[in-house]
Amino acid sequence: APPVRGSIPQPKCPFCRHPRTNNNEERERNTLMVKRAEANDPVALYQMGGKRHQEGDYDGAFQYWTKSAALGHTGAHFNLSIMYGEGQGVEENEKKEVYHLEEA
């Protein structure tokens, strides 16, 4: 629907163009993700790893993705293969890179 004339436009994400969430919604979502990660939910662990990776915390990303991969998350295996292949936060290791790539 087109915006109402005279209304203040809501800020949107420059990538997905959806309205940005307010801080309370985001805080609540992060709290739920942390609780799910603490309960060893592989998807939540994968997402937490992605968040750490975006922040430049490669060690944290590695730890979360390793736990997620151990629980069978293929995306975590793929990301670990990239980390081992490029030496991001870990020593380059072709055997581990190939192992995780095959698991993915």
Side-chain angles (χ1 to χ4, degrees):
V4 178
R5 185 172 214 156
S7 67
I8 298 172
Q10 191 173 14
K12 295 186 179 189
C13 172
F15 301 106
C16 66
R17 305 283 187 236
H18 289 289
R20 292 186 183 194
T21 58
N22 67 36
N23 288 338
N24 290 336
E25 287 177 12
E26 193 170 328
R27 220 175 290 125
E28 184 177 323
R29 195 174 15 205
N30 287 338
T31 302
L32 291 173
M33 190 181 343
V34 169
K35 285 181 181 179
R36 288 177 39 220
E38 288 172 351
N40 287 328
D41 178 351
V43 175
L45 291 166
Y46 174 76
Q47 291 171 342
M48 293 291 289
K51 194 170 195 176
R52 295 293 181 268
H53 192 269
Q54 280 183 330
E55 295 169 354
D57 178 7
Y58 297 127
D59 186 50
F62 178 78
Q63 290 176 12
Y64 279 112
W65 285 338
T66 300
K67 288 179 185 177
S68 181
L71 295 169
H73 195 283
T74 57
H77 277 291
F78 180 76
N79 289 346
L80 287 170
S81 76
I82 293 172
M83 290 185 82
Y84 279 117
E86 296 179 358
Q88 286 184 342
V90 294
E91 253 185 70
E92 285 187 39
N93 186 322
E94 190 176 345
K95 284 185 180 181
K96 290 183 180 181
E97 174 190 11
V98 170
Y99 167 77
H100 286 290
L101 196 54
E102 287 175 346
E103 290 295 309

